[in-house]
Amino acid sequence: MSQKTVTVSVRRLVEFILRSGDIDTVSGAFGEMDAMQQGGLMHRKLQKEAGPSYRAEVSLKHTTEMDETLAITVEGRADGVITETEMAADESGELGLKEVVTIDEIKGTYRNLRYITEPVSVHLAQAKCYAFFYAEKEDLEEIQVQMTYVHLKTGKVQRFKEKMTRNELEVWYTELIDRFAVWVRHQIAWIKKRNLSIGAGSFPFEYRESQKKLVSGVYQTILRHRRLFVEAPTGTGKTISAIYPAVQAMGNGLSETIFYLTARTIARTVAEDTFGLLQDKGLAMKVITLTAKEKICVLDKVQCSPEYCPRAKGHYDRINEALYDLVTHEDRMTRECILAYADKHQVCPFELQLDAALFADAVIGDYNYVFDPNVALKRFFSDRSGDYLFLIDEAHNLVDRAREMYSAVMSMTELTHARHAVEDKAVDRRLVTYMDRSILAMSALRESSDESCQLMGNIGSLIVYLTKLSEQLEETLKEGVTAPLREVLMEFYFDIRRFICAFDRSDDRYLIYALRSEDSFEIKIFCVDPSKDLGERLAKGCGAVFFSATLLPVQYYKEMLSDTAASDYDLYVDSPFAEGNRLLVAATDVSSRYTRRGRK
């Protein structure tokens, strides 16, 4: 029997197996920001200043042969390997120079360093993995681990250092990899079962000529890692004709996850029913339908904090047990199924479904789970690409939805509301200062616009102050703000971040304009052409199929929805129904004149 090698990054390993503690909107909201800063300017600055004994970005990996059928390779890059010499006594008591190696792991944070009294457990675990890999490679009996926390605003540094033996690191790492192997073995066995069932399956209906054409077109698109735009009239069987070849491609190793994306709940139900039809005919496939947080939350109002939600308290201590229970017992992971398992294990159903999606073969959900930069599934798309296949139903709706996803607005009303909320509150004075300066910048823009709708040339000063304001909001929220002010500031923070990110993306495909009335003023960053932004998301996968009953003119949709329009395929599927059965009715008593709108 051949041995299979599975590769995983150090970060993904420890963040999955060793996660613990509470769900907290405040701390969780900024975790991605901290992660994004790794390898940034502050990161490189510390490495450069460390001196000649410091080697930066050292690639390390370690392979563990679990048995004759499975090997697990864990790899990553240590931020730094420090090699120094120090005076030490040998076994006979004589003094001499001894080489000491330290693994350095750097983490950027906006949190006040005085609140960091010990390393975060998953951060330390990353460093310990690298320490074990290096000690094994260089045959070291001892090695030091150093956690370096750097404040991303001030540049201040706090370090924690401890010495470890290779033996104790090996014991710790062996337990870690054994726990991970349980999940790996389950996935290997499941994929084998799934692929055998796909090979034994067939199209569940008698083929119509139009369906043959569509099935062939979809499969060829996947095979060639391209994008396909399909217009197929209602009744042609678009859903099964897109899903079936996608499933066959998965069985042949051409994709690892199918994302079925749509804009409406009813369309998601049709997709569920179609996968269910194939499952009823013997297909072994895990299919999950993602539900919006507001619709699946067990509270009357979404409040992801341990002080409000009992399931948020200790959620990460229980989540892996709940997740394993779910993915080993269920193939159809609907909203009701997720709620039942979340209730059984007292975990957050929204977070449970996001974790379960990693173990699903097909993910059904709204467009935003892939395309919206603020909502997209970070578990899939934050730091990697994959053999993901995107099936995009009702694709004509994606143009307006994408424009909405990549656009943002900032209003004077929102700024003044936040400013009034902190009036007479015990918050950092710098927060108030940056709020005031942002309001002044908005006022200056309002004074420079003399029309109700006016294109704006430069809003740079507003962006500068909003950026400083968002940084200060992060620090203020992390240090602790009580409700209801916390909810106000959290919503305000996310709106500012959305606006700044939209500005950072903006180019000649965007318009920035002011909307002014007697009692309101706002700046809008509007994405006219979302093709580049969508293209960045589509590039995370290996192919995409856009299909709809109304996708003409196809060239327009190709140019709006794809940054590779010139090389994308397009396909028109004729209606399978006889023209003689078609009834066209013209209403001659209805006027389309603007002046007659609203008349009965």
Side-chain angles (χ1 to χ4, degrees), residues 239 260-274 289 295 364-366 393-394 397:
T239 305
Y260 191 99
L261 308 169
T262 185
R264 298 186 302 152
T265 301
I266 185 63
R268 292 193 283 277
T269 301
V270 171
E272 282 183 347
D273 293 343
T274 303
T289 302
K295 293 183 179 180
I364 303 170
D366 190 89
D393 193 6
E394 299 179 311
N397 289 315

Side-chain angles (χ1 to χ4, degrees), residues 74 83 195 254 278 298 320 373 392 399 469 473 500 526 528 554:
V74 183
T83 305
N195 290 349
L254 299 179
L278 295 173
V298 295
N320 279 9
I392 303 156
V399 177
L469 176 55
L473 276 167
I500 294 171
F526 181 66
V528 179
V554 70

Side-chain angles (χ1 to χ4, degrees), residues 253-545:
L254 299 179
S255 70
E256 61 181 271
T257 309
I258 299 168
F259 288 90
Y260 191 99
L261 308 169
T262 185
R264 298 186 302 152
T265 301
I266 185 63
R268 292 193 283 277
T269 301
V270 171
E272 282 183 347
D273 293 343
T274 303
F275 277 110
L277 171 67
L278 295 173
Q279 288 170 319
D280 290 341
K281 291 184 176 295
L283 175 65
M285 177 167 277
K286 295 192 181 294
V287 181
I288 188 168
T289 302
L290 299 181
T291 306
K293 182 182 288 189
E294 292 75 14
K295 293 183 179 180
I296 203 170
C297 181
V298 295
L299 301 180
D300 294 333
K301 178 184 177 183
V302 176
Q303 296 188 87
C304 301
S305 174
E307 61 187 289
Y308 298 111
C309 178
R311 297 195 186 185
K313 183 70 174 176
H315 165 89
Y316 293 112
D317 299 326
R318 303 182 296 273
I319 185 59
N320 279 9
E321 181 180 350
L323 181 61
Y324 193 79
D325 191 11
L326 173 64
V327 300
T328 55
H329 290 97
E330 303 293 340
D331 294 349
R332 304 184 191 189
M333 293 179 276
T334 61
R335 176 179 180 273
E336 293 72 25
C337 174
I338 296 293
L339 284 169
Y341 277 84
D343 183 65
K344 177 181 177 182
H345 294 275
Q346 288 298 290
V347 296
C348 169
F350 181 73
E351 291 294 327
L352 174 60
Q353 69 170 356
L354 297 185
D355 280 333
L358 285 170
F359 295 88
D361 305 300
V363 180
I364 303 170
D366 190 89
Y367 298 145
N368 59 15
Y369 288 111
V370 171
F371 298 118
D372 191 326
N374 303 295
V375 183
L377 299 169
K378 293 179 175 61
R379 291 162 173 81
F380 288 94
F381 307 118
S382 63
D383 59 357
R384 62 168 180 157
S385 300
D387 289 331
Y388 308 137
L389 176 61
F390 305 121
L391 303 181
I392 303 156
D393 193 6
E394 299 179 311
H396 63 281
N397 289 315
L398 184 56
V399 177
D400 287 340
R401 283 288 303 277
R403 285 171 173 160
E404 179 185 342
M405 290 174 193
Y406 301 116
S407 300
V409 63
M410 181 56 56
S411 70
M412 179 67 84
T413 301
E414 186 171 16
L415 282 168
T416 55
H417 175 68
R419 177 64 178 84
H420 291 152
V422 299
E423 194 73 44
D424 301 325
K425 297 292 193 301
V427 296
D428 194 310
R429 184 63 199 172
R430 289 172 294 181
L431 180 63
V432 177
T433 298
Y434 291 135
M435 283 183 173
D436 289 340
R437 290 179 179 176
S438 298
I439 290 171
L440 285 173
M442 280 285 279
S443 298
L445 292 172
R446 180 173 58 187
E447 292 302 316
S448 68
S449 62
D450 52 11
E451 299 178 17
S452 60
C453 182
Q454 179 175 320
L455 288 175
M456 303 299 290
N458 186 356
I459 62 168
S461 60
L462 175 63
I463 294 296
V464 168
Y465 290 123
L466 287 178
T467 301
K468 292 181 180 295
L469 176 55
S470 72
E471 293 173 356
Q472 188 57 51
L473 276 167
E474 288 185 14
E475 188 166 326
T476 299
L477 286 163
K478 279 195 170 185
E479 291 183 4
V481 178
T482 57
L485 179 60
R486 182 165 79 165
E487 283 66 40
V488 172
L489 294 184
M490 281 295 297
E491 183 176 355
F492 183 48
Y493 167 80
F494 286 124
D495 286 345
I496 292 175
R497 291 302 310 169
R498 183 184 182 94
F499 190 79
I500 294 171
C501 290
F503 180 81
D504 290 341
R505 286 193 304 270
S506 63
D507 52 24
D508 58 1
R509 300 171 300 109
Y510 283 72
L511 292 176
I512 302 178
Y513 58 90
L515 293 172
R516 178 176 181 170
S517 65
E518 289 186 6
D519 56 357
S520 69
F521 179 75
E522 61 185 31
I523 301 292
K524 182 157 189 177
I525 303 172
F526 181 66
C527 178
V528 179
D529 175 6
S531 59
K532 180 181 177 182
D533 301 293
L534 290 172
E536 291 174 357
R537 297 284 161 176
L538 292 168
K540 295 284 188 179
C542 61
V545 180

